[in-house]
Amino acid sequence: MKKAFIIGHHEKSKGAFSPFLKTTEWDFYKSIEYYLEQIGDVYIHNPDINSYTKRCKDIGRRIGSDYDLVISLHFNSFNGSANGCEVLYNKPNQISALIASKFCHLVNERMGIKNRGAKGITGGRGYGELIHVQPNAILIEPFFGDNQSDCVAIIKSELVEILNEL
Ligand SMILES: [Zn+2]
């Protein structure tokens, strides 16, 4: 399966900060970019485009239609006690739904992080990264960056291996 990765957020707005991993979403995935490049092509958003929707359309155009799967890379953050892995996909796409479920299952099995499941969405947070790319896309949030036990459990090399197996 030919894969493209989108590193969530961008240089000027790096997403959530994890006090336990001492990193933002952007820096967390930038730190494994070298390994991601071994299993797919890595794309980053243009930080000079101010609108989220326009950034997503721009990256979608650059990614094009040669890939089987586009994976947007994020981590979650809420209130410190929420934990687990969840993956978003565009609700009507049942192929993406299956891949999203597989990812959640593997994260749970290999690292013991709670499986919050695959969530089909029709709008809202993260939707742009799912609908402006084609054909199949998932947005992963393998752990909560503000939850201590999730941050202890997450293993970067294992995460890359699971992404490789999708
Ligand atoms: Zn994010």
Side-chain angles (χ1 to χ4, degrees), residues 8-9 15-16 25 73-75 125 139 141:
H9 308 277
E25 292 179 78
L73 307 164
H74 292 259
F75 64 68
R125 186 177 59 95
L139 187 157
E141 298 190 291

Side-chain angles (χ1 to χ4, degrees), residues 131-145:
I131 57 153
H132 296 302
V133 298
Q134 56 177 324
N136 302 311
I138 59 173
L139 187 157
I140 65 162
E141 298 190 291
F143 64 99
F144 277 72

Side-chain angles (χ1 to χ4, degrees), residues 12-137:
K12 293 181 183 170
S13 174
K14 296 184 168 187
F17 178 77
S18 167
F20 302 108
L21 299 175
K22 309 236 183 308
T23 187
T24 60
E25 292 179 78
W26 167 263
D27 289 314
F28 178 85
Y29 287 105
K30 280 300 269 184
S31 77
I32 57 170
E33 187 175 13
Y34 171 83
Y35 301 97
L36 296 171
E37 281 172 345
Q38 314 305 311
I39 58 174
D41 293 330
V42 178
Y43 291 84
I44 59 171
H45 284 290
N46 180 344
D48 297 323
I49 300 174
N50 287 323
S51 132
Y52 169 73
T53 301
K54 285 180 182 162
R55 274 198 305 279
C56 292
K57 285 181 177 170
D58 168 71
I59 208 164
R61 266 193 300 273
R62 284 187 279 128
I63 290 171
S65 54
D66 280 352
Y67 296 95
D68 303 304
L69 178 64
V70 180
I71 304 170
S72 287
L73 307 164
H74 292 259
F75 64 68
N76 227 326
S77 186
F78 185 51
N79 61 2
S81 56
N83 66 308
C85 167
E86 67 186 31
V87 177
L88 308 180
Y89 64 93
N90 182 25
K91 198 167 188 181
N93 187 326
Q94 289 309 301
I95 295 171
S96 297
L98 285 173
I99 297 167
S101 294
K102 181 179 178 184
F103 179 85
C104 289
H105 172 76
L106 289 173
V107 166
N108 173 256
E109 189 177 77
R110 307 270 178 85
M111 293 183 274
I113 293 172
K114 179 174 144 188
N115 183 350
R116 297 173 69 91
K119 296 199 162 72
I121 62 170
T122 55
R125 186 177 59 95
Y127 192 54
E129 286 177 339
L130 299 173
I131 57 153
H132 296 302
V133 298
Q134 56 177 324
N136 302 311

